[in-house]
Amino acid sequence: MPELPEVETTLRGITPHLQHQRISDVVIRNRNLRWPIPDDLPQLLRGHTVRRLQRRAKYLLIEFDHGTLILHLGMSGSLRILPHNTPAEKHDHFDLVLGNGKLMRLRDPRRFGAVLWHEGGVSRHPLLAHLGPEPLGTEFDANHLYQATRTRSAAIKLAIMDNRLVVGVGNIYANEALFRAGIRPQLAANKLSRPRCALLVQTIKEVLHEAIQQGGSTLRDFIHSDGSSGYFQQHYFVYGRTGEACKRCSAPIKQIKQGQRSSFYCSNCQK
Ligand SMILES: [Zn+2]
């Protein structure tokens, strides 16, 4: 599944191709994504110019003078920049055809992605209105995490994966950040001391920054790849390493279920 670093890398990859470009056409081959792609999108966008691109949580926002195209990659979506005449393949559901001879193509085999149109302030869109702060922004700091966890007795891992507390901390990064901070994923969120909140904020930012940096080095493949998803392969301390030796202390990594997701941790290094 594309996590925040893949979405950020996608944003950086597509921005230079899309910004200030006029939309010459919109092609919808299959509108049945998570929500239907609006039928009137070609009429809405033809002839209009892309002003700016942004990311909010895992949403890509392509801004025009008269509204915003909201994209989500869902479980399996990817975007590529291709020449106009590139034949579409089976899962290529949506193209934004640009005035510069290129097109931006959405491929989404599982069709959990989204292409939506919103007029007016996009931060008030129902999908975006209740989101917590960005993990890499200054608003997400020790004080925010400390205050936001005081009334939560749920496990800290579930708390940091809750979009109302902070957006974009997916399962992989939650596991890795907790390991680096030495915090056991089951710990009740309101039991986390202020210094440990500070440490966790720091390790969350760290793992996301590292993933984005690694994504940057594979950017060309990501954008021009011939269909491979391009999601990053990283070296993890705990994620997916059940029974293997902890890289710090050699104890076997444990696996449990929390909220239907797998958690991986070292019972020796994480308290
Ligand atoms: Zn260990």
Side-chain angles (χ1 to χ4, degrees), residues 236-247 249-256 262-267:
Y236 301 124
F237 280 107
V238 288
Y239 183 79
R241 298 191 64 241
T242 313
E244 291 176 39
C246 172
K247 292 178 180 177
C249 76
S250 298
I253 299 298
K254 293 187 174 171
Q255 180 179 357
I256 54 165
S262 291
S263 295
F264 305 90
Y265 69 102
C266 172
S267 56

Side-chain angles (χ1 to χ4, degrees), residues 44 48 88 98 132 142 149 164 178 226 231:
L44 276 167
H48 288 273
L98 308 168
T149 48
R164 290 165 301 178
L178 285 165
D226 46 5
Y231 305 147

Side-chain angles (χ1 to χ4, degrees), residues 203-218:
T203 61
I204 287 171
K205 290 177 190 281
E206 204 175 87
V207 293
L208 291 172
H209 270 304
E210 284 173 21
I212 290 167
Q213 234 162 18
Q214 204 183 355
S217 63
T218 61

